[in-house]
Amino acid sequence: MPSESASQFPAAKGALAGVKVLDFGWAIVGSLTGKFLADHGAEVIRVESTSRPDMTRVDRRYSKSSHTSLDDKPWFAHLNSSKYSLSLDLKNPRSREVLDRLIAWADVVNENFTPGTLQRLGLDYDYMKTINPDIIFISGSLFGQTGPLAEEWGIDGTGAAISGRLNLTGWPDRVPVTPSSGIYGDYVVPQMNAVAVVAALAHREKTGRGQYMEASMFEVTTQEITPAVLDWQSNGRLEGRTGNRVVNAAPHGVFPCTGEDRWCAIAVFSDQEWNDFVAAIGNPGWAADARFATLEARKANEDELERLVGEWTSTRDPHDVMAYLQERGVRAAAVQGAEDIIDNDPQLRERGFLQTVEHSVLGPFGHQVPPFRLSATPARLRPAPGMGEHNEYVATELLGMSDPEYIELLLEDVFR
Amino acid sequence: MNKGLLSGARALDLTDETGFVCGKVLTELGIDVIKVERPGGDASRMIPPFHQDIPGVERSLYWKAFNTGKRGITLGIENPRGTEVFRDLVSRVDFVMESFEPGYLERIGLGYEALRAINPKLVVISITPFGQVGPYSHYKGSELIAIAMSGVLNNTGDPDRPPVKESLDSGLFHAGIAGALGGVMAYYHALMSGEGQQVDVSVQEVAASRLTSSILAWDMERVSLTRDGHKSQMGPTSTDWFWECKDGHLFWHMLGGAFGAPANKALSDWMDEYLEENPLREVTDWMKFDKAGIPQEQWDRFADAIRPFFLRFTKDEIREQSLKRGTNATVANDPHDLLESEQLRSRGYWTRLEDPVLGSLEFPKYFFQSRDTENFSLTAAPQVGADNEVVFRDELGLSTEKIDELRSANAI
């Protein structure tokens, strides 16, 4: 797999070097929050347990992974790069001897259990604050930590439905469609959580004060459709699903190309862009028609316009359409699939979209890099940890336990 | 309560719609974000929809949505006199956000290296469709174009129709938040080390970052996941996610094992009250039900019974029964549902912002909550050049004559 990247320009340290994170994050939102911090240099200790392993440690989709091992799932590897793993049985009372010291050690605590869970374990923010008064604490959830729906649970599809995004996705005459395999909030929310954490770290540098913060998928993703919320208030309009059409452009859509299920996208906004487009496709007779002379006219005759544009694209390869039209100043793209973006896209390759990391079980393969590039302190990925891989390191080196103390806890079955 | 986490920091926001959200996140962190527009106002002020459907630079609901909390000045940065003022501003701020075509700022002498020479601690956040370098970096983009290239578009839509875009500007929104994350990381690094840097965000790459399942499927098994309508392919079987009810749509998804058991049983029991034949009864122990192993044929039989069942009920009935029974069915909200949502209301999510043209409308107040600091949008988006006087005269200390001179040179 192609992936040259940041490693050609190694930085001495990541942007978050020296930051210590106690990470109870799980599934996608919690795991990614910690990953963004870890890939940029924070020391992130993931606390987990063999008795309730993360779903991504057992998810065998798209891998030849085993039923028995918790350490060979590429899904987990992608989401947990650069972290340390401490396996700890939170139900064992003596786990508290390790946890209390970790709470004192940490700058940041990350968690996304169902609201109320840490409270029931006696491990909520108020408790942690008694041990570490300036700790920075972030919770992620679906609906928020308070309110009548706080303890309802769900997944990304729930987020799509509640945020209003779903009803804006798809065709006007059909049931709304799943937004891109059902993944959005799961990737947007951890970025917001990480924003909050890093801003709180800077705040603490200046004020000495810690912070309790929480973000919900409901609230973060509802922000995305604010224009529709204002349109309702201002104009009483529910625009709903419009396929690929938008009010201020035509053509604006996805058109057929040669090859099986291959498509290109074309977006023409202003009259100048329309003129450029018409010139690019060789000034066909129909383009001079009054039906297409202005944006208003093109919107009124959009079905016919799309049919004619589709005739032009349908004999061409999607990447050829893109290159040809872009050279002539037209906004155009190939609709790319996984094979295109992983194996063939020279732009993503040059950016180092995937960084090759040597995984202890799976061998070397391309891992997802946080999707932004810091010029002076680029992300550097280390492989995701095996379950409990760093128990001894955390107990003895990080927390300074003596060997007999560590062995005693080991025999008490605390690390499982 | 104290002001936002990063109050005291300052930023210049030169972005168009590609980068609006980044500045909105920063302003909610308490940063003084000044939107820098060309004289007369940026072209992005003409993005629909408009207040009362009347186009105008102060009427774009799109522009107003994503520029709350910011102040606004006008400045022609290409104009030699404007350049001089801009350089002065750059020396006083912590962040510059921009979304120009890569190379444009270099051409007018304001590229990253030039800005760094003015202010070594500066964080420059650049958000563009494809990123700063590479063979596509000069391609023209938009939401649709960038997500087409990312793989996201290909994964969305009904199999018998072309791929279809998602929601409004999901890719730009996500990229704005990615820019803010890179930006605050770079700011923290500058605080600790004195070293600034450039944050390079590509909308295409940000959108592609969501595709872990497609990446794994191709990378590990050479399987191409394709668009699946209202379903989602999680493993070998494609199962329905979204359903129609009497007056709208809802999300209900069958999960396996202990995660899904209570909701699966609750739905099956509910169906039993109405149906003679209920295929969900085939499952005797939901705790042991392996969703990943369900054959497509069995799922299709389940779906054929569930589909007409949900159609019996209204959105309100689904909401009520879901809470009562624990079916975990979630109604798809429209904007008015969001404004009325008891959950959002109880958390103080909506806030009324006064705008001289729009009047008083409700906007989202925050991205996240804190017990100790207010990370909120507190003011409506700025009018064109609303803060010119304050910024140029009071903060930069320019004389009235100098300001008049800039005005007559069309720099402000």
Side-chain angles (χ1 to χ4, degrees):
Chain A
M1 172 183 317
S3 54
E4 301 92 73
S5 69
S7 57
Q8 295 168 5
F9 309 100
K13 284 177 174 181
L16 302 180
V19 173
K20 302 163 187 165
V21 182
L22 173 56
D23 185 5
F24 295 99
W26 68 291
I28 301 179
V29 169
S31 296
L32 278 177
T33 303
K35 171 191 159 75
F36 292 139
L37 305 173
D39 288 347
H40 280 281
E43 186 166 18
V44 177
I45 310 293
R46 189 189 155 97
V47 178
E48 47 188 343
S49 144
T50 51
S51 57
R52 282 203 72 172
D54 195 306
M55 54 180 78
T56 63
R57 277 206 184 272
V58 295
D59 189 336
R60 296 174 59 249
R61 274 181 294 153
Y62 318 131
S63 74
K64 308 215 164 23
S65 313
S66 66
H67 276 290
T68 47
S69 172
L70 296 173
D71 298 334
D72 63 353
K73 306 298 182 292
W75 185 254
F76 180 88
H78 267 246
L79 301 178
N80 292 281
S81 53
S82 310
K83 298 183 187 179
Y84 297 83
S85 170
L86 170 68
S87 60
L88 205 59
D89 179 6
L90 296 184
K91 301 233 164 80
N92 185 324
R94 295 202 64 183
S95 69
R96 200 47 76 86
E97 294 169 35
V98 183
L99 275 176
D100 283 356
R101 279 188 258 194
L102 271 173
I103 293 164
W105 165 86
D107 299 305
V108 175
V109 173
N110 169 46
E111 72 96 11
N112 65 319
F113 294 116
T114 305
T117 305
L118 278 183
Q119 220 163 356
R120 284 191 286 277
L121 287 166
L123 278 169
D124 59 354
Y125 171 70
D126 291 326
Y127 171 75
M128 293 192 188
K129 215 177 154 185
T130 64
I131 296 177
N132 185 344
D134 61 356
I135 197 135
I136 291 165
F137 190 98
I138 181 79
S139 286
S141 64
L142 188 59
F143 288 98
Q145 302 292 315
T146 61
L149 299 179
E151 295 195 17
E152 293 296 305
W153 64 277
I155 61 171
D156 201 295
T158 321
I162 57 179
S163 64
R165 300 181 66 256
L166 179 71
N167 276 349
L168 299 173
T169 304
W171 305 98
D173 60 332
R174 293 261 180 102
V175 174
V177 297
T178 310
S180 196
S181 318
I183 296 290
Y184 188 71
D186 276 343
Y187 281 68
V188 174
V189 174
Q191 288 189 345
M192 183 51 61
N193 289 351
V195 165
V197 164
V198 179
L201 284 164
H203 178 77
R204 198 178 68 168
E205 281 305 312
K206 291 182 173 175
T207 66
R209 287 199 293 270
Q211 204 75 206
Y212 168 87
M213 303 174 295
E214 58 126 330
S216 78
M217 192 185 289
F218 191 5
E219 292 168 340
V220 172
T221 56
T222 289
Q223 287 252 14
E224 194 252 312
I225 70 151
T226 305
V229 175
L230 297 179
D231 197 21
W232 167 255
Q233 294 178 74
S234 193
N235 300 318
R237 181 189 296 119
L238 285 180
E239 183 79 4
R241 293 180 293 287
T242 61
N244 285 314
R245 293 181 182 179
V246 296
V247 177
N248 56 334
H252 187 275
V254 172
F255 301 94
C257 290
T258 55
E260 201 192 324
D261 197 34
R262 294 306 316 234
W263 308 85
C264 64
I266 296 172
V268 175
F269 289 84
S270 65
D271 287 337
Q272 180 59 50
E273 289 184 13
W274 168 250
N275 294 337
D276 292 345
F277 173 68
V278 169
I281 62 171
N283 293 300
W286 59 263
D289 197 312
R291 288 177 304 162
F292 308 124
T294 63
L295 175 63
E296 205 181 355
R298 289 192 291 280
K299 289 301 293 181
N301 298 291
E302 202 162 6
D303 287 344
E304 180 63 2
L305 175 65
E306 288 180 354
R307 192 185 65 74
L308 291 161
V309 173
E311 268 180 20
W312 185 81
T313 61
S314 63
T315 57
R316 293 170 166 82
D317 169 85
H319 287 89
D320 291 347
V321 170
M322 171 176 75
Y324 178 84
L325 290 180
Q326 286 281 358
E327 272 166 35
R328 288 155 182 81
V330 178
R331 299 173 207 266
V335 177
Q336 300 204 104
E339 180 178 0
D340 298 311
I341 66 167
I342 296 168
D343 293 349
N344 300 321
D345 186 307
Q347 181 68 18
L348 289 172
R349 185 178 312 168
E350 181 155 338
R351 288 184 68 76
F353 162 58
L354 297 171
Q355 207 174 91
T356 300
V357 175
E358 175 89 30
H359 187 274
S360 60
V361 182
L362 297 161
F365 72 102
H367 285 51
Q368 288 176 279
V369 177
F372 48 85
R373 294 292 170 280
L374 301 186
S375 60
T377 58
R380 299 181 76 191
L381 276 57
R382 289 181 291 110
M387 173 68 82
E389 184 180 335
H390 304 98
N391 289 351
E392 188 177 346
Y393 165 75
V394 171
T396 61
E397 285 188 48
L398 215 61
L399 301 179
M401 286 183 180
S402 65
D403 283 350
E405 200 179 357
Y406 172 59
I407 289 165
E408 190 190 326
L409 290 175
L410 205 58
L411 294 174
E412 289 279 333
D413 228 8
V414 166
F415 300 104
R416 59 185 296 267
Chain B
M1 290 269 269
N2 297 298
K3 288 178 184 165
L5 288 167
L6 297 183
S7 61
R10 305 185 68 183
L12 303 175
D13 180 355
L14 288 82
T15 63
D16 63 13
E17 67 274 19
T18 316
F20 283 170
V21 173
C22 181
K24 182 168 154 73
V25 175
L26 296 198
T27 188
E28 291 189 9
L29 293 170
I31 297 173
D32 175 16
V33 176
I34 301 177
K35 191 109 191 100
V36 182
E37 299 180 70
R38 68 186 190 196
D42 276 351
S44 52
R45 283 181 174 269
M46 294 306 287
I47 298 174
F50 296 100
H51 177 55
Q52 296 164 341
D53 283 333
I54 303 166
V57 291
E58 301 299 351
R59 307 186 74 89
S60 163
L61 297 172
Y62 187 99
W63 203 89
K64 297 284 181 179
F66 296 125
N67 288 293
T68 57
K70 302 175 187 177
R71 298 198 291 161
I73 61 171
T74 53
L75 186 62
I77 59 169
E78 290 184 12
N79 182 309
R81 289 167 197 271
T83 303
E84 195 189 321
V85 176
F86 183 71
R87 293 171 60 91
D88 192 5
L89 280 168
V90 166
S91 72
R92 296 160 186 255
V93 300
D94 304 282
F95 300 87
V96 169
M97 289 163 270
E98 62 91 11
S99 59
F100 297 110
E101 185 191 341
Y104 165 78
L105 286 174
E106 280 77 7
R107 284 198 297 280
I108 62 168
L110 295 172
Y112 171 65
E113 292 303 328
L115 300 184
R116 184 166 79 154
I118 301 168
N119 179 353
K121 287 181 72 171
L122 185 70
V123 173
V124 174
I125 307 171
S126 299
I127 306 177
T128 54
F130 299 100
Q132 294 299 300
V133 294
Y136 300 158
S137 59
H138 290 277
Y139 276 9
K140 291 175 90 176
S142 72
E143 167 74 18
L144 182 70
I145 298 306
I147 65 160
M149 291 293 284
S150 75
V152 160
L153 187 62
N154 196 51
N155 275 6
T156 310
D158 291 309
D160 63 338
R161 290 193 184 174
V164 69
K165 77 180 177 64
E166 158 192 17
S167 191
L168 300 180
D169 285 347
S170 299
L172 304 185
F173 182 84
H174 191 187
I177 293 176
L181 177 54
V184 294
M185 280 186 184
Y187 175 73
Y188 179 76
H189 178 72
L191 200 64
M192 305 302 280
S193 71
E195 176 187 44
Q197 56 187 314
Q198 184 175 25
V199 181
D200 172 11
V201 179
S202 143
V203 181
Q204 179 199 17
E205 187 194 24
V206 171
S209 78
R210 290 159 55 194
L211 300 179
T212 306
S213 53
S214 300
I215 290 168
L216 290 176
W218 181 254
D219 202 20
M220 300 287 156
E221 298 190 335
R222 300 281 135 182
V223 168
S224 274
L225 298 186
T226 52
R227 60 192 184 282
D228 212 3
H230 61 278
K231 301 180 181 181
S232 184
Q233 190 173 3
M234 293 269 182
T237 306
S238 179
T239 57
D240 298 60
W241 271 31
F242 301 107
W243 313 78
E244 219 170 344
C245 64
K246 244 183 201 164
D247 56 346
H249 300 94
L250 65 128
F251 172 71
W252 189 84
H253 172 49
M254 186 172 275
L255 286 166
F259 281 118
N264 297 342
K265 181 161 189 324
L267 179 66
S268 182
D269 290 350
W270 188 14
M271 289 168 72
D272 271 343
E273 292 175 21
Y274 288 81
L275 306 179
E276 300 251 318
E277 300 283 318
N278 174 10
L280 271 66
R281 267 182 236 142
E282 291 165 20
V283 181
T284 48
D285 184 354
W286 286 106
M287 290 298 282
K288 288 188 184 143
F289 173 67
D290 174 17
K291 155 70 191 313
I294 187 173
Q296 188 69 50
E297 171 277 323
Q298 187 183 19
W299 171 257
D300 290 345
R301 264 186 302 114
F302 285 8
D304 287 343
I306 296 169
R307 200 172 301 113
F309 181 73
F310 280 136
L311 266 173
R312 293 166 177 262
F313 305 102
T314 64
K315 295 199 289 186
D316 283 342
E317 287 163 349
I318 302 266
R319 282 195 190 98
E320 191 193 322
Q321 293 296 319
S322 183
L323 279 177
K324 197 174 114 192
R325 297 168 181 268
T327 51
N328 210 246
T330 313
V331 167
N333 286 321
D334 281 321
H336 53 86
D337 300 314
L338 294 168
L339 288 165
E340 289 156 18
S341 159
E342 206 185 319
Q343 177 66 15
L344 295 178
R345 291 251 158 237
S346 75
R347 288 168 56 80
Y349 181 70
W350 299 109
T351 187
R352 282 201 171 276
L353 298 180
E354 301 295 330
D355 182 286
V357 177
L358 309 187
S360 164
L361 297 180
E362 294 200 89
F363 289 76
K365 189 176 185 180
Y366 57 83
F367 284 99
F368 67 92
Q369 290 194 359
S370 161
R371 274 191 208 163
D372 314 293
T373 50
E374 292 188 331
N375 299 283
F376 298 152
S377 261
L378 295 171
T379 55
Q383 307 276 296
V384 177
D387 300 287
N388 280 355
E389 289 294 312
V390 172
V391 171
F392 295 132
R393 190 191 315 273
D394 304 348
E395 295 173 19
L396 291 185
L398 301 183
S399 65
T400 309
E401 297 82 64
K402 175 82 181 165
I403 293 174
D404 285 344
E405 209 181 297
L406 286 167
R407 199 164 278 140
S408 55
N410 279 325
I412 62 178

